[in-house]
Amino acid sequence: MTAYRAAWVCPIERPPIRDGLVIVEAGRIVAVGSRESGVGSREIHPRDLGNVVLMPGLINAHVHFELSWLRGRVPPAAAFTDWVKLLVAARRGVERADDPEVLQPLRAAIVEAQASGTVAVGDISNSLASPGPMQAAGLDGVVFHELLGFKERDGSLIERTREARAGAWGNVRVSLAPHAPYSTAPELFKAIRVAVDQSRCGITSVHLGESPEETEFLASGTGPWRRVLEYLGLWREDWEIPACGPVEYLDRLGVIDSRTLVVHGVQFDDAALARLAAIGATLVTCPRSNQWVGVGAPPIERFYQSGVAVAVGTDSLASVEDLNLFSELKTMRRIAPGVSAAKLLESATFVGARALGLDGELGSLTPGKRAAILAIELPGPVDDIEEHLVSGVDPARVQHLGTFGTLGT
């Protein structure tokens, strides 16, 4: 049994504790509190970590590790479809899971994410290059095998790609995910939902409400996405224009529920947010990426006001400078000054863990959960530890207790 004493303990599921203790045994949290509250017997001599804050590891609910090799190769754009064209041109067909050009930066990105405090992710993959490296690095999470095809008229693509998902990767689960309404046929959406419902993981993800171009496409069947599909020879004359918003469209198809991670939502109106809250879906916000790709800042304060569960993702290194989730929180604090720091931290920890089916193990410093604990060095006395943590944390200040790190239990 090991006891850690810190200037602050931030459990997430209850208010921060000044001069706190966390007791760990056999890789599990046994107790959290303070001497004054009666935590820990007098026979326990805690290891004093000094002026640090202890908190649970971060959950990056949306990342694309396999795109990490594109870092610095896809510049920001003023419109989303313009950015997508740059992305497609930069990828040059590099898709294979065994491609060294993909794998080396992918492994480096996993290390980078861990170094800044991430312990689990929701990763989007087309090639399934990431599960093996994630398992090797000890990074938990769900890898969503993303399928797309606007001209797919059934679920045969699921069968054609089944073998690629047949591996066993320990704590890394693999599920299916549709890409987006402008790239995935309604028949494929429905088939993916059925396959996910029948799987052991049961969780899926979808890019939704990201750009004005998407909203226009669903409302009228016109605009840049229609032109892109026609140019690529992927347009379907029999596609029925839904004449509604993105959430209503997928809700009509019956493909979103409480096990769905709805990513971005920059264009959602209040009715869409209310519906997601009623469904119990999780909205994953990636504000730095949204601004990079030209869709604007997400309405984060409205997200929280709606009651929808909000998790946090970085998106890929093709559209963000780094995979430091604390940088994402800093951006969220700037965009949404009316949202409490406590809520923002909960989104980057417990809400993300719950969305990925990991809340029994990760996401808060709670007795019984895994001791995936961050120790973050403080620059001096801190009175409001939650505000401090959402003001940006450099990875050099982050160490792991019990996972990935040098301070093991």
Side-chain angles (χ1 to χ4, degrees), residues 146-176:
E146 184 179 75
L147 303 181
L148 63 164
F150 197 72
K151 296 187 81 169
E152 294 288 329
R153 298 178 184 273
D154 54 32
S156 60
L157 181 59
I158 297 172
E159 285 302 318
R160 298 199 303 271
T161 58
R162 186 178 298 277
E163 185 177 350
R165 297 185 294 276
W169 294 284
N171 287 337
V172 180
R173 292 160 291 152
V174 174
S175 188
L176 282 168

Side-chain angles (χ1 to χ4, degrees), residues 8-246:
W8 283 99
V9 173
C10 194
I12 300 299
E13 44 86 29
R14 58 182 168 126
I17 304 161
R18 191 188 289 269
D19 194 16
L21 291 174
V22 178
I23 301 175
V24 173
E25 184 174 21
R28 296 277 168 179
I29 298 170
V30 174
V32 179
S34 65
R35 287 288 198 194
E36 290 70 21
S37 64
V39 171
S41 68
R42 293 301 168 184
E43 289 73 33
I44 293 178
H45 301 288
R47 179 179 175 184
D48 192 342
L49 299 179
N51 194 32
V52 304
V53 53
L54 301 183
M55 68 173 292
L58 304 177
I59 313 296
N60 187 339
H62 185 76
V63 67
H64 296 247
F65 280 136
E66 72 180 31
L67 298 183
S68 298
W69 69 279
L70 290 167
R71 185 179 215 160
R73 302 190 189 194
V74 190
F80 184 58
T81 44
D82 292 341
W83 184 84
V84 169
K85 291 173 185 175
L86 295 172
L87 174 71
V88 170
R91 291 183 80 163
R92 301 189 313 276
V94 178
E95 300 283 351
R96 300 190 315 276
D98 60 349
D99 194 319
E101 187 174 1
V102 172
L103 281 175
Q104 185 175 348
L106 187 158
R107 293 189 181 106
I110 290 172
V111 172
E112 176 180 327
Q114 291 174 321
S116 57
T118 293
V119 297
V121 302
D123 178 58
I124 304 293
S125 179
N126 301 118
S127 69
L128 289 180
S130 55
M134 283 173 57
Q135 180 189 23
L139 184 64
D140 278 26
V142 178
V143 174
F144 297 103
H145 190 198
E146 184 179 75
L147 303 181
L148 63 164
F150 197 72
K151 296 187 81 169
E152 294 288 329
R153 298 178 184 273
D154 54 32
S156 60
L157 181 59
I158 297 172
E159 285 302 318
R160 298 199 303 271
T161 58
R162 186 178 298 277
E163 185 177 350
R165 297 185 294 276
W169 294 284
N171 287 337
V172 180
R173 292 160 291 152
V174 174
S175 188
L176 282 168
H179 175 246
Y182 52 81
S183 62
T184 308
E187 297 92 339
L188 184 55
F189 261 113
K190 292 178 180 179
I192 290 172
R193 181 73 257 182
V194 170
V196 169
D197 289 344
Q198 295 173 347
S199 72
R200 286 179 293 177
C201 181
I203 301 168
T204 190
S205 176
V206 62
H207 299 81
L208 197 66
E210 185 173 10
S211 68
E213 294 93 332
E214 175 190 331
T215 301
E216 179 184 1
F217 179 72
L218 293 175
S220 63
T222 61
W225 278 122
R226 167 79 177 256
R227 293 193 291 273
V228 168
L229 290 171
E230 289 176 334
Y231 175 76
L232 296 174
L234 299 175
W235 174 250
R236 283 177 55 172
E237 292 294 343
D238 65 339
W239 181 68
E240 185 177 344
I241 298 168
C244 66

Side-chain angles (χ1 to χ4, degrees), residues 321-333:
E321 294 174 349
D322 57 52
L323 299 180
N324 184 352
L325 215 60
F326 285 112
S327 297
E328 216 68 49
L329 287 170
K330 181 178 180 180
T331 301
M332 292 173 72
R333 162 48 77 239

